[in-house]
Amino acid sequence: MNRWLQFVNLLGVLALTALYVFQWQMNRRLNLEVNQLEKTSISQTTQIEEQSKKLKGTADDLETFREQLARATVNLKEQTDKSLGHETKIDALTVERDGLKNSLAQWTNAVAARDKRLAESNAEIQKLADDLNAAVVKYNQLGSNYNTVVNDLNALRARAASTNK
C-alpha cells in the first residue's frame, strides 16, 4: 500500500506539475495578450488624441472658413448693392448724355442759323454802307455843285452890281 500511495503521490505530483506547466503557459499567453492589448490601447489612445487634435484644428478651420464666408457674403451683397447703384447712375447719366447730345445738336443748328443770319445781315450792312457811301459822294458832289453855283451867282451879282453902278 505504501507503494501504491507513492505511485499515486507521484502521479499527483506529475499531474500537478503538468497543471502548473499548463497554467504557466496559459498565464504567459494571457500576459502576452494583455501586453499586446496594452500596446494596442496606447497606440489607439495616441491615434485618438492625434485625431482629436486634427478634429479640433479642422473645427477651428471650419469656423474660420465660416467667418470668411460670412464676410465674403456681406462684401458680395455690398458690392452688388453698389453695382446696382452704379448701374442706376449710369442709366441716369446715359439719359442725361442723350439729352445733352440733343441739346448740342439743337444748339449747333441754332448757331448755324445765327451764323447764316449774321452773314446775311453783314451782306445787307455792307450793301447799306456802299449805298451810304454813294449817297455821301452824291451829297458831296451836290455841295460842291452848290458852292460852284453860289460862287458863280456871287460873281454874276458882283458883275451885275458893278455894271449897274
Side-chain angles (χ1 to χ4, degrees), residues 1-9:
M1 180 151 159
N2 203 0
R3 228 160 156 58
W4 191 72
L5 192 53
Q6 284 181 349
F7 183 67
V8 170
N9 197 12

Side-chain angles (χ1 to χ4, degrees), residues 74-87:
V74 168
N75 287 340
L76 178 63
K77 180 162 178 30
E78 288 173 359
Q79 293 303 321
T80 303
D81 292 344
K82 283 182 182 178
S83 175
L84 290 174
H86 291 309
E87 286 177 8

Side-chain angles (χ1 to χ4, degrees), residues 135-149:
V136 167
V137 167
K138 283 182 183 180
Y139 178 75
N140 286 339
Q141 281 178 344
L142 180 64
S144 175
N145 290 341
Y146 176 75
N147 286 336
T148 304
V149 168

Side-chain angles (χ1 to χ4, degrees), residues 104-114:
L104 180 63
Q106 290 173 356
W107 181 80
T108 303
N109 292 338
V111 167
R114 181 205 63 188

Side-chain angles (χ1 to χ4, degrees), residues 47-98:
Q47 284 179 347
I48 288 172
E49 288 174 358
E50 288 175 3
Q51 288 177 351
S52 293
K53 287 178 184 177
K54 287 180 183 178
L55 184 61
K56 186 176 186 298
T58 304
D60 291 343
D61 288 345
L62 180 62
E63 185 61 30
T64 302
F65 290 144
R66 283 183 181 157
E67 290 172 3
Q68 289 175 353
L69 179 63
R71 282 194 304 266
T73 303
V74 168
N75 287 340
L76 178 63
K77 180 162 178 30
E78 288 173 359
Q79 293 303 321
T80 303
D81 292 344
K82 283 182 182 178
S83 175
L84 290 174
H86 291 309
E87 286 177 8
T88 304
K89 227 178 208 180
I90 287 170
D91 291 343
L93 289 174
T94 302
V95 168
E96 184 178 347
R97 181 201 65 204
D98 292 342

